Amino acid sequence: RPPAPRRDVATSRAAGWRIAVHSLEEGFGLEYVADLLGHTSIRSTAIYAKVTTPARDAMMRRLDRSRYVVSWG
């Protein structure tokens, strides 16, 4: 039986996941993150594109302040 993986060792996949999630939450585009991670397909990067509540709220605040968004209310 092979030994169990060590949980205290960071893997390259975990590091890539953290880079992707934090970059997307900071507002970097999906294409930029794909290039950063070396993905040849945007579909590989889209896995990381789940929008968290804080990121979504921050995006909506930025859109509310944008001069390019028309408010109907």
Side-chain angles (χ1 to χ4, degrees):
R1 182 186 243 199
R6 291 179 51 190
R7 294 184 189 266
D8 62 337
V9 177
T11 63
S12 60
R13 178 174 282 180
W17 180 83
R18 288 180 183 183
I19 289 169
V21 169
H22 291 299
S23 297
L24 290 168
E25 286 183 346
E26 289 299 317
F28 291 98
L30 198 57
E31 295 84 5
Y32 175 81
V33 176
D35 183 60
L36 182 67
L37 296 176
H39 292 168
T40 55
S41 170
I42 199 73
R43 288 181 179 192
S44 300
T45 312
I47 296 167
Y48 304 106
K50 284 186 177 180
V51 179
T52 62
T53 300
R56 183 178 51 241
D57 293 344
M59 180 186 68
M60 292 307 292
R61 283 192 300 275
R62 286 190 354 226
L63 286 173
D64 286 341
R65 293 189 305 263
S66 174
R67 63 183 177 165
Y68 300 107
V69 177
V70 177
S71 176
W72 299 101

